[in-house]
Amino acid sequence: MNDLARSRYIENVRGRGGGIRLGRAPEEINIGTLVRHTEGGFDLVGCASCVIAPACSLTSVLKEALCAFLAVLDRYSLADLMDKRQDMGLLLAETAFSQKPADDVRA
């Protein structure tokens, strides 16, 4: 959390009713950039110390797959993911309502 605050993705709010909030507009937060920032290494397998890595085709295939994964994330901002926020709220409210126990009626 401290790293996200230092990078201005979030802001810490002190005092009563404090907590955290976005430090940038959702349109300015690119998902690919955020994932790269929060996730240290993307080694899917430990090829660095493998003796057959120079002759292994898997290394290049995994690198290509990782690039494709990050390229998809690069196309989206946080605002894009929040687009259906109201729909999510309605679904969560319906789920919470349907899981409430019936009133305990004693005879």
Side-chain angles (χ1 to χ4, degrees):
M1 293 298 264
N2 288 333
D3 185 48
L4 291 174
R6 278 192 302 274
S7 301
R8 297 197 172 128
Y9 284 106
I10 61 171
E11 294 177 348
N12 294 312
V13 180
R14 294 181 181 227
R16 187 169 186 197
I20 59 171
R21 66 178 173 214
L22 288 178
R24 304 177 190 181
E27 297 81 15
E28 296 175 15
I29 300 176
N30 178 272
I31 300 302
T33 303
L34 179 61
V35 168
R36 284 181 188 88
H37 179 82
T38 58
E39 302 300 322
F42 286 100
D43 290 337
L44 299 176
V45 292
C47 295
S49 61
C50 180
V51 296
I52 66 167
C56 179
S57 299
L58 182 60
T59 305
S60 62
V61 170
L62 292 176
K63 184 176 180 179
E64 182 182 352
L66 177 60
C67 289
F69 170 72
L70 292 171
V72 170
L73 295 181
D74 286 339
R75 295 193 322 241
Y76 296 93
S77 71
L78 183 58
D80 296 323
L81 302 182
M82 295 172 64
D83 191 33
K84 294 191 173 199
R85 185 173 166 180
Q86 185 176 9
D87 294 342
M88 181 67 75
L90 292 171
L91 289 171
L92 292 174
E94 288 176 12
T95 302
F97 180 74
S98 67
Q99 293 179 354
K100 284 186 180 180
D103 290 338
D104 188 6
V105 179
R106 297 178 193 240

